[in-house]
Every structure is written in structure tokens, then in C-alpha cells.
Amino acid sequence: MAELPHALIIAGPTCSGKSALALDVAERLGGTVINTDSMQVYRELRVITARPSAAEEARVPHVLYGVRPAAEPGSAAWWRGEALREMAAAEAAGRLPILCGGTGMYFAALIDGIAAIPDPGDAARAEARWLLAEFGPKGLHASLAKVDQATAARLRPSDSQRVARAWEVWRGTGRGLAAWQAQATQPAPWRFSAILLDPPRDALRAAIAGRFSAMLVDGALDEVRSLLALKLDPALPAMRAHGVPELAAHLRGEITLAEAARRAELATGQYTKRQATWFRHRRLADPARTHTIHARIAGLKQFSESQKADLFSFIQVVG
């Protein structure tokens, strides 16, 4: 185990201060920040997904941010392959790979491996999209439960992306997604240590509200307007990023901007609850190699000198 290269994970719910901490740690230790957020991979969504700014990206290497067009949905399998390549490149350059984000599925795929599922094919994908549009995610989930109960039991009926993905896999391969995922996988050949941010709920709610207000000032409405002009399939992941459906409804004249902000903040808050639950119950690293921070932070500036020393001592010891 000690012979494997070391990578650092900085994880936690949206608005917990991950990006700022990763930037500071990367500057101090000579790291490369590797995006582990499923929405920050889309190039059209810099503002609405709170991607690092151009100035922040210039301070240390940042990779896998804004690398896909919104028309091309990403996947855990695609991201894992790209992340492993970027981790190897950072290691070869003498830099510490720092995986920063809040997408638990991506962390799980990277650490534990992911089943090699055959491409279901265009016909299965088209059918899943049609059924989703015709019957909605709950209707499609009910249909999925009749043919692949094991997979349906794992999915929230409202999770349109994963329900549609499960349907297309069953239809296109003849086997359910749960059955494919039960196959043996190949863990990543790395040692992982983790800094897990787990801030109080009230601090997180305040941070979400503040961030969305800042997004509006920074041009989130124009960004969503430009995205809608592409006339993409509304089922695409990028079209359902937090804030996009709500601002789109405002741009169509259906709700006020204040109501759009309220709904977006509510949806984001609900998502952070699911994120926090996932991180509390899933292993990102051995418990001895995990350091949990319960206060919301915005980089090292909010730490005392003794807290900074403890943080970097942890990273150096586990590394």
C-alpha cells in the first residue's frame, strides 16, 4: 500500500468551501486541483455551477473544469478515465493530485472502480428519452420497477437522469444496471486520504443564499439565456443543474426572479442534505486517513495558525 502514489480528496456538500480550501492547499503543497463535480465539467456553466474563476485557475493547475459541451452528457465512467489520467500526469510532474468536489458517485467510481457496461445503443437511449418525456420520471420509474426491481429500488423516482439511464441499460443490454454493477471492479491503484467538510446546516443555508445572489450579479441569468438558445434536450444533465430550470422558468415569464432564486436555493439546500448523508455513510478513505472539518470555511484565511498547522500535519503524515 505504501508503494502506491498518494492523492488527496477534498469533499463535502455544495457551498462548504471546498474549492477555496483546495486552492490554498494546492498552493502550499504544489498540487493540481482535479474537478470532481459532475456539473462543473460543462463549459457553458461557469457561473451557475460556481466554477473556479480564471484568476483562481491561473494560481495553480486546475483540470477537468469546463471540458465538455452541455450537449454531450458526462458519465462516471468517462470522468474516472479522465481523472486517472490527470492524476498520473500530476504525479509525473511532482505535484499532489487534489480531487475536489461533491459528486459522491464520481468518488465511488474512482476509488472502488466501475463496472464495464456495454453501450446500450442509440435506440435504447431514444426510447428512454421518449418515455421520460411522455410519462415523467415517476412513470418511467414505475415501469422500470416491473422489469428491473433491483435497480429501481436503488433510485429515487424523481431522479430523471438515473431512471432514464437504468431503463436504457436494461433495454439495450438485456441486463439491469444493478446486475452490471454487481460485477467485480478494479479499484484505483492509489492511496487516498480525505478532508471532509461537514458544516452546520444554518451556515450552509446562508452560504447557498449568498452564493446565488452573487451568481445573479456575475451574470447567471445571461448564462442560462445563452444555454437555452442552444435548444438542447431538457433531459440533459446540464439543463438540470441547480439554478438552470428555475432561471429558465423566469426567462419564459412563468415566475419572478425572486421566486426563481427562492426555488433554486431550496433545491440546492435539499441536494446538500443528500450530499452530507452520502459522505457520512460512505468511505472515501480509511478512517485514520480522513480529517473531518465541521465548520464552514472559505480557504485557510479562516483558520487559526494552529488549525493550519494541524491540517497540513495531517496531509503530510497520511501522504
Side-chain angles (χ1 to χ4, degrees):
M1 183 73 173
E3 296 178 354
L4 295 176
H6 171 238
L8 176 66
I9 289 170
I10 297 181
T14 298
C15 284
S16 56
K18 301 180 298 294
S19 296
L21 179 59
L23 177 59
D24 285 333
V25 171
E27 284 190 314
R28 181 78 68 95
L29 298 181
T32 294
V33 182
I34 301 172
N35 173 39
T36 315
D37 182 288
S38 63
M39 292 299 159
Q40 289 185 339
V41 301
Y42 297 113
R43 66 175 60 117
E44 293 91 346
L45 302 183
R46 177 182 286 277
V47 176
I48 204 71
T49 64
R51 264 172 35 207
S53 68
E56 289 168 333
E57 291 180 340
R59 287 166 58 183
V60 299
H62 284 70
V63 297
L64 299 186
Y65 290 91
V67 294
R68 289 184 77 89
E72 297 178 9
S75 69
W78 162 80
W79 176 86
R80 184 179 196 263
E82 294 299 309
L84 286 171
R85 279 190 283 276
E86 294 292 356
M87 291 163 67
E91 172 73 11
R95 305 188 67 86
L96 172 67
I98 301 173
L99 295 134
C100 175
T103 302
M105 179 175 62
Y106 278 18
F107 282 118
L110 174 66
I111 296 167
D112 300 324
I114 192 167
I117 303 173
D119 183 354
D122 291 340
R125 275 189 288 273
E127 179 178 286
R129 286 196 296 269
W130 182 83
L131 290 171
L132 187 63
E134 189 74 11
F135 301 107
K138 292 183 180 179
L140 183 54
H141 184 272
S143 296
L144 179 68
K146 296 176 182 178
V147 296
D148 183 9
Q149 188 174 14
T151 300
R154 297 182 179 184
L155 302 176
R156 289 182 295 108
S158 60
D159 193 335
S160 58
Q161 180 184 358
R162 291 191 173 93
V163 170
R165 169 63 175 164
W167 181 271
E168 71 183 39
V169 168
W170 170 78
R171 174 59 97 182
T173 70
R175 295 180 64 190
L177 192 56
W180 283 110
Q181 291 173 339
Q183 294 182 155
T185 57
Q186 184 66 41
W190 287 79
R191 287 180 297 121
F192 293 98
S193 55
I195 297 172
L196 176 60
L197 305 185
D198 188 18
R201 294 300 310 171
D202 57 347
L204 207 52
R205 283 193 294 270
I208 290 168
R211 174 180 285 185
F212 200 78
S213 295
M215 286 176 177
L216 291 175
V217 172
D218 290 341
L221 198 58
D222 286 338
E223 187 172 82
V224 172
R225 184 181 286 109
S226 296
L227 181 68
L228 295 176
L230 299 176
K231 300 189 182 303
L232 301 178
D233 184 340
L236 285 168
M239 298 299 292
R240 293 180 293 104
H242 295 127
V244 169
E246 294 83 6
L247 291 181
H250 167 67
L251 289 169
R252 291 193 297 267
E254 297 169 2
I255 57 176
T256 66
L257 184 57
E259 176 62 13
R262 188 193 70 81
R263 292 184 187 183
E265 290 166 17
L266 178 62
T268 304
Q270 292 170 339
Y271 177 62
T272 61
K273 288 182 182 179
R274 297 195 296 272
Q275 286 178 297
T277 298
W278 193 96
F279 285 120
R280 287 176 191 143
H281 293 89
R282 292 293 295 267
R283 180 186 62 83
L284 292 177
D286 184 277
R289 300 177 66 84
T290 300
H291 180 55
T292 302
I293 300 173
H294 293 288
R296 179 180 177 266
I297 61 171
L300 296 180
K301 296 179 181 62
Q302 291 189 8
F303 282 101
S304 68
E305 288 305 315
S306 63
Q307 289 172 322
K308 293 178 186 179
D310 288 344
L311 178 62
F312 284 103
S313 175
F314 162 76
I315 296 171
Q316 289 161 353
V317 167
V318 297

